[in-house]
Amino acid sequence: MRFVKAVTSPDSPDFLPVPERIAVFDNDGTLWPEQPLIQAVFLAARAKAMLREDPSWADREPAVAAAASGDFDYFHREGEAALMALVAATSAGMTDAEFNSLVDEFFATSTHPTLGKPFTGLAYQPMVEFLDLLRSEGFQVFICSGGGMDFVRRVSGPMYGIPAANVIGSSLAKEVGDADGRTAVWRLPELASFNDRAEKVKNIALHLGARPVVAGGNVRSGGDIAMLTYSSEGPGPSLQLVVNHDDPEREFAYAEADRMTLNAAEKNDFLVISIKDDWVTVFDDGPPEPYELSTAGENR
Amino acid sequence: MRFVKAVTSPDSPDFLPVPERIAVFDNDGTLWPEQPLIQAVFLAARAKAMLREDPSWADREPAVAAAASGDFDYFHREGEAALMALVAATSAGMTDAEFNSLVDEFFATSTHPTLGKPFTGLAYQPMVEFLDLLRSEGFQVFICSGGGMDFVRRVSGPMYGIPAANVIGSSLAKEVGDADGRTAVWRLPELASFNDRAEKVKNIALHLGARPVVAGGNVRSGGDIAMLTYSSEGPGPSLQLVVNHDDPEREFAYAEADRMTLNAAEKNDFLVISIKDDWVTVFDDGPPEPYELSTAGENR
């Protein structure tokens, strides 16, 4: 709040004109939980549904069989190629509109395995309040997620007030073609961008053309360090936030073996948030709101 | 105005929720003039400056020499590769921040060769009014230009009220590196995307994840037909505008030999705007406003 006041008060030496008020946030572990990764739950659910509809998938694609049976060791063993095979089978070979329908159905019918709430009820309440504060002070707020851009876009509006167009994420290659006689965007079984580490900086340049003055990430894989550092190296005032997951009671507790993100935070003056000590509320405790399908975008 | 009222009145059968109110506009010939292409003037100015600083460019890159001397036949003769060589020499091999400074300097010091105004004073006034109307009714407004994304982003805010992040355009490949010890985005001498025809639809999917309900383009090359058609094929109400340049007195008059865009307009019910007959004002006739550098983005 001290930072926001400093950059928005007209007579402050740190005042920033409205167009420079740009904030980006990672999503998994920064705006909602990542234990388990929610998109991984989606992929597993999709694999199960595919096997039910067509049992021949079991022979045709071992990654589908492994995901459907919860054999996550398979993916650790087989590495990135196996994960990409799963993404290709579950999320490509269809139009954006078809994929969006699958994602909408998932969010409308699934709940978190241990937290007992729909995934769409799991936005971190203090972060939502911070996004609201930023927007009320003229900031443009974006997500820059390692997760699938199209996946996150379906819920960014209802959960965080972030329009689909303000979501940057990993993406598949696509091509423009035809579906039922109308122009359609087809999803190809090939990664166009894995939005992690330095790629996050590159995609921020592609989507925003700006060095954000606010950036938020979290401790887990070091995937946000490049983006946080980029934000911190601008010519003027800036703020970087790092969510540290240290609350096994209300959320989860996990750390990086190499302390990479916390080390970067110490070196570069990123502000570390302790979920345990700093957040009065983690999730909005009210009754879960009925999930409303995102009306943004390509849904028919 | 009839369309905007129909999709924003709560009791209208065509009512669209706010997140679905998405509008995209081509830039060259749709929001500002394209005789000559303003980015071509920039490239020529840049080529001249480079030759002045280092005469060896004349031998090293014939495209630079041709652009500096105004030999545009060279580019017609040599085709796309020559144009790309010019873009590479003038707009790559530097950071985004350096490129942005060059663009800012160009706009601060250049005027249109025949219209006698700074380029930043050449927004089509009726289009600016329409963008304002759309925004006041909850629309998100984007540019989807064949021009360079980073070039257009420097003026989209001051000229049209469109933030840099809402500009889609052609782009160079980039890589994240270092400049003076800070994280920087470097521009590579290689095209990442030429945002024309079907590629406009693909980049709309990448940047917005949505089928726009409003799209605007113009008659010249047929480059907007795919985007306009995509917009027109949504499940609900939509509006497509095509600017026809038929006013040699106040702007320019030119047509497509094959009438491709006008034919598509007839077939798909795009609304054709005659500059001559439909626009009371083409350019704001007031005294030119002093050009203010865009404060959005990566400028240092």
Side-chain angles (χ1 to χ4, degrees), chain A residues 70-249:
Chain A
D71 177 10
F72 297 114
D73 281 348
Y74 173 84
F75 295 96
H76 286 130
R77 235 171 28 240
E78 303 291 324
E80 237 174 68
L83 187 59
M84 192 57 225
L86 178 64
V87 169
T90 55
S91 310
M94 63 185 89
T95 65
D96 274 356
E98 288 166 327
F99 178 74
N100 290 346
S101 297
L102 295 173
V103 176
D104 290 348
E105 195 196 328
F106 168 76
F107 279 114
T109 57
S110 309
T111 53
H112 190 281
T114 61
L115 296 169
K117 281 185 152 219
F119 293 111
T120 49
L122 291 176
Y124 298 137
Q125 186 56 27
M127 296 304 272
V128 170
E129 289 171 27
F130 185 52
L131 304 186
D132 284 343
L133 170 69
L134 289 173
R135 278 185 295 250
S136 75
E137 295 290 347
F139 275 80
Q140 296 175 69
V141 176
F142 299 86
I143 286 174
C144 187
S145 171
M149 184 149 61
D150 294 325
F151 183 76
V152 177
R153 278 176 170 167
R154 299 311 291 171
V155 292
S156 62
M159 290 186 71
Y160 314 123
I162 295 178
N166 284 19
V167 176
I168 306 168
S170 296
S171 58
L172 293 178
K174 297 187 182 176
E175 73 183 5
V176 176
D178 173 282
D180 302 324
R182 296 188 306 163
T183 309
V185 179
W186 285 87
R187 305 167 65 80
L188 305 180
E190 183 191 325
L191 203 61
S193 177
F194 178 42
N195 192 48
D196 196 35
R197 299 175 190 261
E199 187 89 356
K200 287 200 175 193
V201 176
K202 205 165 96 175
N203 281 329
I204 287 171
L206 175 65
H207 287 262
L208 314 188
R211 191 189 288 260
V213 294
V214 174
N218 70 289
V219 177
R220 185 178 62 109
S221 64
D224 295 323
I225 297 173
M227 166 175 98
L228 294 163
T229 305
Y230 179 58
S231 167
S232 75
E233 292 172 341
S238 68
L239 172 72
Q240 292 73 41
L241 301 174
V242 172
V243 177
N244 195 20
H245 295 266
D246 57 1
D247 190 336
E249 298 297 318

Side-chain angles (χ1 to χ4, degrees), chain B residues 4-27:
Chain B
V4 172
K5 192 165 177 201
V7 299
T8 56
S9 304
D11 48 0
S12 156
D14 287 337
F15 178 78
L16 289 172
V18 167
E20 291 188 32
R21 298 181 196 166
I22 293 178
V24 298
F25 294 87
D26 172 58
N27 187 38

Side-chain angles (χ1 to χ4, degrees), chain B residues 193-260:
Chain B
S193 176
F194 178 42
N195 192 47
D196 197 34
R197 299 174 191 260
E199 187 89 355
K200 289 201 175 193
V201 176
K202 205 164 97 175
N203 281 330
I204 287 170
L206 175 65
H207 287 262
L208 314 188
R211 190 189 289 261
V213 294
V214 174
N218 71 289
V219 176
R220 184 178 63 108
S221 64
D224 295 323
I225 297 172
M227 166 176 99
L228 295 163
T229 305
Y230 179 57
S231 166
S232 76
E233 292 173 342
S238 68
L239 172 71
Q240 292 74 42
L241 301 174
V242 172
V243 177
N244 196 21
H245 295 265
D246 56 2
D247 190 336
E249 298 298 318
R250 297 183 301 168
E251 205 242 0
F252 300 98
Y254 50 97
E256 283 162 1
D258 56 11
R259 264 193 119 258
M260 221 177 145

Side-chain angles (χ1 to χ4, degrees), chain B residues 3-299:
Chain B
F3 170 82
V4 172
K5 192 165 177 201
V7 299
T8 56
S9 304
D11 48 0
S12 156
D14 287 337
F15 178 78
L16 289 172
V18 167
E20 291 188 32
R21 298 181 196 166
I22 293 178
V24 298
F25 294 87
D26 172 58
N27 187 38
D28 294 319
T30 300
L31 299 181
W32 73 1
E34 58 182 352
Q35 301 285 346
L37 273 173
I38 295 171
Q39 194 167 0
V41 181
F42 166 73
L43 294 177
R46 187 78 207 108
K48 265 185 217 166
M50 286 164 62
L51 266 181
R52 260 200 315 273
E53 281 161 36
D54 178 359
S56 80
W57 272 110
D59 302 321
R60 278 157 61 202
E61 182 45 73
V64 169
S69 67
D71 176 9
F72 296 115
D73 280 348
Y74 173 84
F75 295 96
H76 286 129
R77 235 169 30 238
E78 303 291 323
E80 237 174 68
L83 187 60
M84 193 57 224
L86 178 63
V87 169
T90 55
S91 310
M94 63 185 89
T95 65
D96 273 356
E98 288 166 327
F99 178 75
N100 290 347
S101 298
L102 295 172
V103 176
D104 289 347
E105 196 196 328
F106 168 76
F107 279 115
T109 57
S110 310
T111 54
H112 190 281
T114 60
L115 296 169
K117 281 185 153 217
F119 293 111
T120 49
L122 291 177
Y124 298 137
Q125 185 58 25
M127 295 305 272
V128 170
E129 288 170 29
F130 185 51
L131 304 186
D132 284 343
L133 170 68
L134 290 173
R135 278 185 295 250
S136 74
E137 295 290 348
F139 276 79
Q140 295 175 69
V141 176
F142 299 86
I143 285 174
C144 187
S145 171
M149 184 149 61
D150 294 325
F151 183 76
V152 178
R153 278 176 170 167
R154 300 310 291 171
V155 292
S156 62
M159 290 186 71
Y160 314 122
I162 295 178
N166 285 19
V167 176
I168 306 168
S170 296
S171 57
L172 294 178
K174 297 189 181 175
E175 74 183 4
V176 177
D178 171 284
D180 302 324
R182 296 189 306 164
T183 310
V185 179
W186 286 87
R187 304 167 66 79
L188 305 180
E190 183 192 324
L191 203 59
S193 176
F194 178 42
N195 192 47
D196 197 34
R197 299 174 191 260
E199 187 89 355
K200 289 201 175 193
V201 176
K202 205 164 97 175
N203 281 330
I204 287 170
L206 175 65
H207 287 262
L208 314 188
R211 190 189 289 261
V213 294
V214 174
N218 71 289
V219 176
R220 184 178 63 108
S221 64
D224 295 323
I225 297 172
M227 166 176 99
L228 295 163
T229 305
Y230 179 57
S231 166
S232 76
E233 292 173 342
S238 68
L239 172 71
Q240 292 74 42
L241 301 174
V242 172
V243 177
N244 196 21
H245 295 265
D246 56 2
D247 190 336
E249 298 298 318
R250 297 183 301 168
E251 205 242 0
F252 300 98
Y254 50 97
E256 283 162 1
D258 56 11
R259 264 193 119 258
M260 221 177 145
T261 305
L262 290 176
N263 289 345
E266 272 160 35
K267 188 177 154 211
N268 300 302
D269 271 333
F270 305 156
L271 190 65
V272 177
I273 297 169
S274 158
I275 293 186
K276 188 167 188 289
D277 298 334
D278 296 329
W279 285 358
V280 174
T281 304
V282 178
F283 305 113
D284 185 346
D285 287 330
E289 297 200 15
Y291 177 64
E292 295 213 20
L293 293 185
S294 169
T295 55
E298 177 63 81
N299 50 12

